[in-house]
Amino acid sequence: MVKEIEREGLPVVHVATVVPISLTVGANRIVPAIAIPHPLGNPKLDEDDEKNERREIIERALQALTTEVEDQRVFEKLEV
Amino acid sequence: MAKIKIVHYLNQFFGQQGGEDKANLPPQKKKGAVGPGTALAGELKDYVDIKATIICGDGFANEKKEQAASQIREYLIELEPDLILAGPAFNAGRYGMACGMVAEIAADLDMPAVVGIYPENPGYEMFSQYGYFIETGDSAASMREALPDIADFIKLYLKREGKPGSPEEANYLPRGIRKNTFADERGAKRAVKMLMAKIKGADYDSEYPMPTFDRVEPAPAIEDLSQAKIALVTSGGIVPNGNPDRIESSSASKYGKYKIADFADLTEDSHETAHGGYDPVFANEDADCVLPVDVLRDLEEEGRIGKLHEYYYSTVGNGTSVANAKVFAREIAQKLLSEGVQAVILTST
């Protein structure tokens, strides 16, 4: 799905837990997520910390969307 | 002929440990055959002995890969099987990846591996070189056809003493491995025959098929986030409570478009997941953990992003065919473009 949307010229960032699958399907901008049943959540944390962790992932996703890429790239960490 | 010793790998479901609630089960071994292994052992009773079954939760195998791999490796070293069998995984993505990982470990230990799998399963493409992947249907409904095919391959493998022949001869999926063989005719003659066939428009089999890389050029980056309209799309099956479009829990035939303009936060009173391929407890409690509306709403208020698009698009990526997913995504892309969206965050479980 990532690829077909990007084919139309829209940049897509794929937030996915199983990064090898995302690489195989051909996503160009990839942000690793937390876990399969809660990619952007972490039930081990309290609500505030969980939201902060989710925000960190989204910050990385936004960084990916504002970064030019030539090839597939996994955005592991937020760069400042 | 003496019977060979097989170790069978299954996920938590086919290993009869439970459903998604047991997806985090670490690898464990059981004596003898379990589930589909019992049926296979029956088909192959004069040929093989399923000595043990290794069972691991699909979540564990994918999220704690190193830990799962090292435990499975230890089991295989201890059990010393003549052959490892994994699956069939059909089109279950996480299960297919786990079976592929088992094949890779087996290859490293010089043990042959046989995996039942649907060709679109990413586990096949990623791990095809490590074992013999036998084509199955896309869901467990095809178990009855899959097992005899796997059994037939193992019989052939034994009859030919570990050299089953080419994928076409032995009915397994291509491994992407080239082997030297002797042909009846010299190369020049074969090439001219192919060329003649090509000119005539007749069928011919290339001896060196070109790999197909379906890659899409990365779209240009967003220059100014504070002016951009960003949309959320998910394959994690987040839907308004009650699943109004009745998106199927697996092998989805449709996607949904839902308004989020009025939501600052998704809660258990508003949204849930229709996805049948992962433990839904967390997503049902707080769908933001799959579709992060709350955080994007904050970023919108802070002016970091221009706007969160007022609709999101959702489907269930669970055994859903690539063909269906392509159609959904093309339609979604057209709609997003006409709705003035500039970038997409797509979340997958």
Side-chain angles (χ1 to χ4, degrees):
Chain A
M1 289 184 75
V2 181
K3 210 160 49 187
E4 295 307 318
I5 295 175
E6 187 133 334
R7 215 188 282 281
E8 302 301 322
L10 280 170
V12 182
V13 55
H14 193 202
V15 179
T17 306
V18 190
V19 173
I21 294 186
S22 182
L23 287 165
T24 307
V25 300
N28 290 317
R29 295 174 170 91
I30 300 166
V31 169
I34 297 168
I36 291 162
H38 45 82
L40 290 123
N42 190 344
K44 285 188 199 132
L45 303 176
D46 68 37
E47 222 169 282
D48 287 345
D49 287 345
E50 183 182 19
K51 199 170 166 187
N52 286 337
E53 194 167 341
R54 170 151 66 243
R55 177 152 177 149
E56 196 274 332
I57 295 173
I58 294 299
E59 294 280 2
R60 265 188 285 155
L62 295 178
Q63 185 159 67
L65 288 173
T66 49
T67 306
E68 297 291 355
V69 298
E70 284 180 2
D71 209 346
Q72 292 185 300
R73 177 158 164 201
V74 181
F75 292 78
E76 300 271 0
K77 279 205 184 91
L78 201 60
E79 283 158 26
V80 277
Chain B
M1 191 171 60
K3 287 193 198 181
I4 64 156
K5 231 164 43 183
I6 285 189
V7 168
H8 192 188
Y9 176 87
L10 292 171
N11 72 355
Q12 81 282 3
F13 179 73
F14 290 103
Q16 301 173 348
Q17 301 300 301
E20 275 307 318
D21 53 323
K22 293 278 191 263
N24 287 317
L25 187 80
Q28 45 197 269
K29 61 174 184 192
K30 301 240 179 263
K31 235 182 156 175
V34 176
T38 317
L40 266 175
E43 298 229 13
L44 289 165
K45 63 179 185 301
D46 300 327
Y47 303 87
V48 311
D49 182 13
I50 299 186
K51 197 182 170 199
T53 304
I54 299 175
I55 301 165
C56 178
D58 284 336
F60 193 94
N62 282 274
E63 290 170 19
K64 302 199 173 99
K65 216 161 43 186
E66 281 83 31
Q67 225 178 312
S70 80
Q71 181 62 65
I72 291 167
R73 194 185 166 86
E74 261 176 50
Y75 285 152
L76 292 181
I77 291 171
E78 176 200 325
L79 293 162
E80 295 182 320
D82 300 307
L83 188 144
I84 322 269
L85 177 66
F90 307 104
N91 198 20
R94 291 176 304 165
Y95 190 16
M97 293 291 281
C99 289
M101 177 178 83
V102 170
E104 186 181 7
I105 298 165
D108 191 49
L109 296 171
D110 276 328
M111 297 170 179
V114 175
V115 181
I117 205 156
Y118 183 65
E120 283 183 7
N121 191 318
Y124 164 60
E125 193 181 326
M126 290 245 350
F127 296 98
S128 60
Q129 73 203 72
Y130 298 113
Y132 297 101
F133 287 72
I134 313 300
E135 178 169 352
T136 70
D138 63 353
S139 79
S142 60
M143 182 70 89
R144 212 185 307 185
E145 293 83 45
L147 295 181
D149 286 349
I150 293 168
D152 284 348
F153 176 81
I154 292 176
K155 282 184 210 165
L156 186 78
Y157 180 86
L158 294 176
K159 193 175 146 201
R160 296 190 179 161
E161 294 171 344
K163 295 190 177 66
S166 71
E168 296 79 27
E169 285 163 26
N171 219 8
Y172 60 94
L173 293 163
R175 292 182 296 167
I177 292 176
R178 293 173 67 76
K179 290 212 161 183
N180 289 328
T181 55
F182 287 100
D184 295 332
E185 289 174 331
R186 70 182 66 180
K189 205 165 177 187
R190 303 202 304 276
V192 171
K193 275 191 179 169
M194 272 188 251
L195 181 62
M196 298 293 282
K198 185 171 183 172
I199 291 168
K200 266 194 253 168
D203 290 338
Y204 65 95
D205 289 319
S206 168
E207 291 178 18
Y208 192 68
M210 289 292 131
T212 49
F213 292 112
D214 182 25
R215 290 285 181 249
V216 171
E217 282 272 303
I222 296 297
E223 279 173 21
D224 185 0
L225 267 182
S226 69
Q227 298 296 317
K229 193 199 259 191
I230 294 177
L232 278 170
V233 178
T234 188
S235 62
I238 302 301
V239 290
N241 279 356
N243 188 8
D245 294 315
R246 296 178 182 273
I247 298 177
E248 299 88 342
S249 61
S250 74
S251 304
S253 68
K254 57 193 138 189
Y255 62 91
K257 171 182 179 177
Y258 305 108
K259 203 165 182 182
I260 40 167
D262 307 329
F263 289 96
D265 184 19
L266 307 182
T267 66
E268 59 183 333
D269 298 324
S270 65
H271 290 77
E272 63 184 16
T273 183
H275 201 294
Y278 65 88
D279 186 343
V281 170
F282 311 104
N284 286 344
E285 252 171 37
D286 180 6
D288 290 299
C289 77
V290 178
L291 196 79
V293 171
D294 58 351
V295 166
L296 283 160
R297 204 55 89 194
D298 290 350
L299 289 161
E300 184 181 43
E301 258 173 40
E302 293 164 25
R304 288 281 314 284
I305 62 169
K307 193 174 171 25
L308 172 61
H309 185 41
E310 58 184 324
Y311 295 97
Y312 76 93
Y313 291 85
S314 176
T315 188
V316 165
N318 179 25
T320 300
S321 75
V322 173
N324 273 358
K326 273 188 181 170
V327 173
F328 302 165
R330 271 186 215 138
E331 288 181 20
I332 291 170
Q334 290 310 323
K335 289 181 183 169
L336 292 172
L337 284 171
S338 71
E339 290 157 0
V341 166
Q342 276 107 38
V344 175
I345 297 175
L346 195 152
T347 63
S348 290
T349 44

